[in-house]
Amino acid sequence: MGRIIVVVVDGMGDRPIDGKTPLQYANTPNIDLLCREGITGQMNTITPGIVPGSDTGHLAIFGYDPYKTYPGRGVFEALGAGIKLEEGDVAFRCNLATVDEKLNVVDRRAGRIKDGKKIVEEIDGMEINGVEIILKSTTEHRCSLVLRGENLSNKISDVDPHSETKIWKSKALENTHEARRTADIINKLVEESYKILKDHPINKEREKEGKLPANILLPRGAGKYVEIESIKEKWGFKASCIAGGALYKGVARYLGASIIDVRGATGRLDTNLHAKVDAALKSAEQYEYTFLHIKGCDNASHDGDFRAKAEMISRIDEEVVSKLIDFDGYVLITADHSTPVFVKRHTSDPVPILFHGEDVRRDSVELFDEISVVHGGLGTLRGIDLMPIVSDYIGYYKMYGS
Ligand code: ZN
Ligand code: ZN
């Protein structure tokens, strides 16, 4: 059976500025070498015109229809934070934030608080209306919140107003007892968090030092956990995931892939690419499918930083792809969506794909970029088409008919 390393460069796809995209501008001799020997194409990760989130985009790349299997962002964040979820749990992304006494948001990130862990302990383990509250601090002001109990729903709106204004009240988004009950629990929890945290010694100390207090929880992105078919069950092979960001680990964990933690994998521009690619090569000795996620380009894109994005692509070429050239297996390079630096958000522009392996058909495309791959042999695919193609090459094909 064959092996594959799938490199997803988050948000790599772009639009030209002064005639060139960052991928065209970057120095990519190794990627272009694989391009000349391989096959290319482009991909609408969800469907044409639909802007992919990183979460839904990844589900599609792993071969899962995002419209049928997306459980809501909170679930991936909780799994990525290492919380073991149970069927029926409702999970949220959550910020520790600063509000004034009228509950107007002063800072959604509580001054990017560093010691969020101790504050979170005050609330973790609470019970509201018979529902257990699980709260885990992840990085800085970010935490993951899980409600565990009977009759819960994720069809509720956010408390986080996403800007510096009065906090929102969570509302039921469907006319069910479960949705109303869950919104009610969330509103009570937010109220309680303010009561508990506003006079907390850590916050008193922070205020004395002139820092913003972390005096409220702002949940958002409710998701409901249901168990789904794992990659092994659905596709037949073992998969591993190497990523810095919790979200990507969360998606992979949701699909039953093994998470390989790498020191120095930060999910930022300063990530340790050498360590990540070494871990990927090692993983490929054991797993048929190794997923290597690199986040930095998306961060640079959201900041509108063309140069930083192009430099990151050049680094990926030099530090990652150079080591994949002699890999005895298949290599696939793509992105989960486009994040044009000019737009600073995800867009629906298709992303380039490059697929390389000894017996892979070659096309005539010589440069790997958004414009050249339009002429590639894979044509234009959807995200969920990728996994069947990969599976066939590595020997886990699905046949229709006889
Ligand atoms: Zn993304
Ligand atoms: Zn993004």
Side-chain angles (χ1 to χ4, degrees):
M1 292 295 181
R3 288 169 193 266
I4 184 163
I5 296 177
V6 175
V7 183
V8 168
V9 182
D10 205 296
M12 176 171 63
D14 213 302
R15 297 174 183 173
I17 291 182
D18 291 334
K20 279 191 175 180
T21 67
L23 185 53
Q24 287 179 307
Y25 184 83
N27 184 30
T28 54
N30 294 300
I31 297 175
D32 292 334
L33 174 67
L34 291 188
C35 182
R36 286 196 294 281
E37 294 178 358
I39 194 165
T40 62
Q42 58 177 356
M43 171 172 86
N44 290 295
T45 323
I46 311 287
T47 50
I50 297 298
V51 177
S54 275
D55 44 14
T56 48
H58 276 83
L59 275 178
I61 289 170
F62 285 119
Y64 290 76
D65 182 344
Y67 287 112
K68 294 193 183 132
T69 56
Y70 181 49
R73 174 80 173 236
V75 165
F76 296 147
E77 296 284 345
L79 290 170
I83 298 175
K84 261 195 164 331
L85 292 180
E86 296 176 8
E87 191 91 14
D89 284 355
V90 173
F92 302 78
R93 304 171 84 182
C94 193
N95 272 13
L96 281 169
T98 310
V99 289
D100 64 19
E101 52 296 348
K102 288 187 179 135
L103 302 187
N104 289 307
V105 176
V106 176
D107 183 5
R108 283 183 65 241
R109 301 181 178 89
R112 292 198 179 267
I113 180 167
K114 295 275 179 301
D115 43 4
K117 280 206 170 63
K118 285 208 186 82
I119 287 193
V120 156
E121 278 169 16
E122 298 294 323
I123 292 161
D124 181 34
M126 257 174 72
E127 213 184 281
I128 297 176
N129 297 5
V131 167
E132 186 190 350
I133 311 293
I134 301 162
L135 187 64
K136 187 168 177 182
S137 161
T138 53
T139 52
E140 295 182 321
H141 53 278
R142 302 178 196 92
C143 7
S144 180
L145 166 69
V146 177
L147 304 187
R148 179 167 294 161
E150 304 276 294
N151 303 322
L152 295 171
S153 166
N154 63 325
K155 302 284 187 263
I156 65 165
S157 64
D158 294 350
V159 171
D160 185 345
H162 301 263
S163 65
E164 260 94 72
T165 136
K166 194 172 168 70
I167 67 161
W168 292 341
K169 268 218 174 314
S170 179
K171 293 194 183 83
L173 296 176
E174 61 176 24
N175 188 18
T176 59
H177 163 70
E178 286 80 8
R180 285 190 294 275
R181 165 176 152 82
T182 312
D184 182 45
I185 291 169
I186 281 295
N187 289 327
K188 279 190 180 141
L189 170 65
V190 170
E191 218 172 279
E192 244 350 84
S193 75
Y194 179 65
K195 272 190 214 150
I196 295 170
L197 299 179
K198 70 179 171 32
D199 298 319
H200 191 280
I202 291 181
N203 280 329
K204 289 283 155 211
E205 197 57 37
R206 283 179 69 79
E207 283 172 306
K208 247 191 253 164
E209 292 166 7
K211 292 179 184 162
L212 291 169
N215 58 12
I216 200 160
L217 288 179
L218 296 182
R220 68 184 192 277
K224 188 167 189 174
Y225 180 71
V226 282
E227 264 183 44
I228 70 165
E229 217 182 356
S230 69
I231 291 175
K232 179 90 174 81
E233 286 160 346
K234 188 173 169 72
W235 298 105
F237 46 78
K238 287 187 304 200
S240 78
C241 164
I242 295 158
L247 170 65
Y248 314 96
K249 294 184 198 179
V251 177
R253 200 166 267 148
Y254 185 60
L255 304 177
S258 305
I259 310 299
I260 298 174
D261 283 312
V262 176
R263 274 182 74 154
T266 59
R268 297 187 303 261
L269 288 162
D270 65 359
T271 197
N272 187 343
L273 291 175
H274 288 294
K276 284 174 89 166
V277 69
D278 290 347
L281 287 164
K282 193 146 188 282
S283 158
E285 292 168 13
Q286 201 187 334
Y287 295 89
E288 288 95 338
Y289 183 102
T290 296
F291 175 78
L292 173 58
H293 180 265
I294 302 171
K295 173 75 177 163
C297 283
D298 190 54
N299 303 0
S301 306
H302 284 291
D303 291 342
D305 193 337
F306 186 100
R307 194 163 289 273
K309 184 170 184 175
E311 269 169 24
M312 186 67 180
I313 294 170
S314 303
R315 260 189 72 203
I316 292 168
D317 183 87
E318 193 185 326
E319 296 173 27
V320 176
V321 181
S322 64
K323 290 192 181 170
L324 297 179
I325 283 180
D326 295 326
F327 171 59
D328 181 23
Y330 300 96
V331 173
L332 192 144
I333 303 172
T334 189
D336 54 342
H337 49 76
S338 294
T339 316
V341 288
F342 184 74
V343 190
K344 297 190 191 173
R345 62 160 174 88
H346 303 180
T347 65
S348 66
D349 302 74
V351 295
I353 319 169
L354 161 56
F355 185 41
H356 181 273
E358 213 183 348
D359 61 343
V360 170
R361 288 187 194 169
R362 292 180 183 199
D363 60 23
S364 55
V365 175
E366 301 206 330
L367 294 171
F368 182 63
D369 60 65
E370 298 87 337
I371 318 301
S372 307
V373 299
V374 170
H375 307 288
L378 288 171
T380 301
L381 307 173
R382 292 168 309 161
I384 52 167
D385 297 328
L386 215 52
M387 203 61 150
I389 294 171
V390 162
S391 306
D392 187 10
Y393 269 101
I394 62 174
Y396 292 86
Y397 59 92
K398 289 196 196 311
M399 197 163 167
Y400 179 59
S402 63

